[in-house]
């Protein structure tokens, strides 16, 4: 994902609170609405079927 509106980020963060049981836990994996770089367009998440569309903290660039 790339750009996220405030409303969409709010949905994601609220889901994280529900899933992880507290705001403190959710803050470890999701930015609060208004604090996400996705809202500014400066962040993007990249994933693939090979890792079941999960996110990893590493990124490898291969030059061909």
């Amino acid at each position: 994902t790339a750009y996220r509106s405030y409303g969409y980020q709010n949905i994601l963060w609220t889901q994280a609170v529900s899933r992880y049981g507290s705001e403190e836990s959710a803050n470890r994996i999701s930015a609060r609405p208004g604090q996400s770089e996705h809202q500014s367009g400066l962040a993007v998440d990249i994933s693939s079927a090979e890792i079941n569309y999960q996110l990893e903290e590493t990124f490898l660039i291969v030059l061909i």
Side-chain angles (χ1 to χ4, degrees), residues 2-4 7 9-10 17-20 24 26-27 30 34 36-38 40 48-49 57 60 64:
Y3 173 77
R4 296 180 189 157
Q9 187 65 33
N10 187 52
V17 172
S18 179
R19 175 179 285 164
Y20 297 102
E24 182 179 331
N27 287 336
S30 181
S36 172
E37 288 189 349
H38 285 278
S40 68
S48 71
E57 293 184 21
L60 175 65
I64 298 175

Side-chain angles (χ1 to χ4, degrees), residues 27-48:
N27 287 336
R28 291 186 197 129
I29 58 99
S30 181
R32 290 176 179 257
Q35 298 178 353
S36 172
E37 288 189 349
H38 285 278
Q39 288 177 255
S40 68
L42 296 176
V44 64
D45 294 336
I46 300 172
S47 192
S48 71

